[in-house]
Structure formats: structure tokens, C-alpha cells
Amino acid sequence: MQELAGRLKVLDPAASESVKIIGYFDSLVAGGAGVESVVRAAAILSGVPAGARVRGRLIGVDADGARTAPREPEGADAADAPRVWLERPDGAGINDAMIVDRAQVALSIIVARADPTMSAVERVIDATTSRVDREAAAHRLRLSGAVRVVAAPPTSHHALTASTVLATNEGAVWIGLGDVVPPDGPVGTSVASDLDDLPRACADARLALRLADDRHRVMDAADLGVLIVLARSFEASAPRHPDVEALDALDARALEALDVVIDSESIRAAATRLSMHHSSLQSRHETWTRQLGYDPLSPRGRARFLAARMLQRLS
């Protein structure tokens, strides 16, 4: 980092200063600095008083590094994430945005480290964590017996519960332990029979979340039955199956109608749900049979469609 900053100082002084700021806060985090140290760094680097709100607590430090009473900006939201601001009355400085951003990132990491519930949740759902550490985490969370794992987008409205946010290949995912389900969906759930089953339940809840849709806002992995085995075997890098490619060729309206038809007892029942005449839907059924290469309403065709549709949603 220092070598890069030295080179950039010659080529681009502004970029060099940004690298120094990043390195400064990274070193604080790596060294186990506390919240006040991060706010002090923001004040020293900017040359003006800095303030922060961390879990409802206000911290203020002036440009000399001394504590001060912070003045929180008007209109500040009540978000749980740490918030940092600089008290510069004459407009933002050239590096202010970078300082504030890196300070907030550093505070978020420090808060996460200090939160025993969050670290405990991460440990119990991680299969690579030792059994001893996972037992200690489960004891801290007071977990025993069967436990429901809930997966939801990090932007959904979560009830307060033992939870964390995971970084996954599909993006950030909120993971909660308990029977409280976010009301707005989409949500995926799975029940772990015991401590050793929690990593599997977490993975299945994440798969169920990816399969949730407007008609099934809460998807329980148990309701997928044997299809969960197929979902677990999905690999994004694998070649797409011809049945999936056939679904890709259909437009969104056709797929939506097919979903309803497959989920209904008969063509007539599906037509009622779609507000269509059953004869019109019957003609579409014949068209879909030609396009897919099989009858999606036959027993085997229904199974093929459900499997292909699941793989399409996972991709």
C-alpha cells in the first residue's frame, strides 16, 4: 500500500491521498481500534471536527483529537448502521467523502466484531467452524433442539432476532435464527434438527429464497421435497439443459401463465385464476406442448417443467 501511494504521489496526488486514507482506516481496523479512534482519525485527516452515531450513541472529536459535543446534521435518519459526518461549515473538502465512507466502513466492521450475537450466528451456520466453537456459539444464542433458519434480502423488514448478513455469490443475504419471518418477503426457510444440521439448513434456506416468487412469498425448503436435492446440485457454470433453454425462449407472460396452469387442478381452474376462457387457455396449452417438446400437464411433463423451472430460477 505504501509503495502504491508513493507511485501515485508522482502520477496523481489526489489518488495518492485517497490510498493513504484507505490505508489509515484499514490499519485501525486491523489493529483492533475502538469506535472513538476511528472518529478521531476522521477529524485528524479532515482537519475539522467529526461526529458519529453508533448504536444510538453520539461521539464527537475535534481536529486536535479532543472529545467534543457533536452536532448531528438535521434530517439524519435513524438507521442502525454507523453514521459519520464532518463539521465543515464552508463546503465539503476534496477528500471528505472518502474519509466519511472509510470511517463508516471501519465502524461497521468494529461494531460487527463487538456484537457477540452476530459472530455467534455466523459460527453456528458455518460448517468449517470447529465443533467446540459452534457449541459455544449455540450456548451463547441459547439454541437447543430444532431451529428454523430464515433467509431474506438484507433490505427486507426484519424482526429483531439472532441474525447476520452473509456475503454470497448471489449477493448479500440476511440470515436469522428463530420462527420470526420478515412479513414483506421474499423469504426462504428451513428447519435444522440439531446443531450439526444448521449449516445444511442455512444452505437450503438460501436456495428456498432464490425459488420464492410473487405467488409463493415464503418458500419452505421442506415443501420442495425431493426437488431440494436437484436444487443443491445446481451449478451456475454447468451447460444449460435443453428443457431450461426451452423455457428461456418463452416470454414472461407465457411463463407466468404456465406457472398458474401447473399449480392448478385443471385447465378450467387455471383459466378462472387467469381470468381467461378455458378454450383460449386450451389452445395455449397445445402451443406450449409444441414449444416445449412435451405436454407440461402430463404427469411426467409436469415433473419436467417443475425441474426445469426451478433450475431456470436458480440461474
Side-chain angles (χ1 to χ4, degrees):
M1 183 71 77
Q2 291 179 347
E3 182 181 356
L4 176 60
R7 293 179 180 178
L8 285 175
K9 186 174 183 180
V10 177
L11 301 174
D12 188 340
S16 172
E17 194 63 27
S18 295
V19 171
K20 288 181 180 178
I21 292 169
I22 294 171
Y24 193 114
F25 285 108
D26 284 353
S27 64
L28 289 176
V29 172
V35 169
E36 188 169 313
S37 294
V38 173
V39 182
R40 182 174 292 108
I44 293 172
L45 289 171
S46 64
V48 297
R53 176 181 286 277
V54 181
R55 290 187 169 177
R57 175 191 171 202
L58 288 175
I59 304 105
V61 179
D62 65 20
D64 294 325
R67 293 181 182 177
T68 185
R71 296 191 302 270
E72 190 169 18
E74 294 183 2
D77 55 38
D80 292 333
R83 185 173 186 270
V84 176
W85 60 88
L86 301 176
E87 298 177 8
R88 191 187 297 277
D90 53 352
I94 187 171
N95 291 311
D96 283 5
M98 172 68 74
I99 292 169
V100 168
D101 177 71
R102 300 313 300 180
Q104 290 181 160
V105 170
L107 288 177
S108 296
I109 294 172
I110 291 170
V111 168
R113 285 177 175 174
D115 188 340
T117 298
M118 178 171 288
S119 60
V121 172
E122 291 172 344
R123 286 175 183 154
V124 295
I125 62 177
D126 186 356
T128 63
T129 300
S130 71
R131 171 75 188 200
V132 172
D133 285 346
R134 292 177 62 240
E135 285 181 345
H139 178 73
R140 183 182 300 167
L141 294 169
R142 298 181 180 178
L143 300 179
S144 62
V147 178
R148 181 172 297 278
V149 181
V150 181
T155 54
S156 58
H157 297 91
H158 317 122
L160 293 178
T161 184
S163 65
T164 189
V165 175
L166 298 180
T168 73
N169 292 335
E170 300 80 48
V173 179
W174 178 87
I175 300 294
L177 304 180
D179 290 325
V180 179
V181 175
D184 48 340
V187 175
T189 73
S190 182
V191 175
S193 58
D194 53 29
L195 175 62
D196 292 331
D197 197 32
L198 273 168
R200 189 279 310 162
C202 179
D204 284 357
R206 286 170 47 196
L207 285 172
L209 171 63
R210 294 166 65 186
L211 295 173
D213 56 28
D214 290 338
R215 293 181 304 110
H216 306 93
R217 300 295 289 173
V218 178
M219 177 67 71
D220 191 333
D223 292 338
L224 294 172
V226 72
L227 287 175
I228 193 64
V229 178
L230 178 61
R232 292 170 187 160
S233 68
F234 172 77
E235 294 183 8
S237 60
R240 293 175 78 78
H241 191 277
D243 282 0
V244 179
E245 292 180 337
L247 294 184
D248 290 340
L250 301 179
D251 59 36
R253 292 182 63 184
L255 278 174
E256 182 181 0
L258 258 172
D259 284 336
V260 173
V261 169
I262 295 298
D263 207 28
S264 301
E265 296 179 358
S266 64
I267 287 283
R268 189 176 295 275
T272 300
R273 292 174 61 182
L274 292 167
S275 300
M276 296 175 58
H277 195 277
H278 73 276
S279 60
S280 299
L281 192 57
Q282 181 64 48
S283 64
R284 289 196 183 188
H285 168 223
E286 295 168 358
T287 300
W288 293 330
T289 299
R290 291 194 302 271
Q291 291 174 320
L292 298 177
Y294 59 88
D295 180 359
L297 293 187
S298 68
R300 183 173 298 178
R302 191 183 295 266
R304 285 180 65 175
F305 174 84
L306 289 172
R309 188 73 167 113
M310 184 177 67
L311 293 178
Q312 185 190 41
R313 286 195 172 110
L314 291 174
S315 60

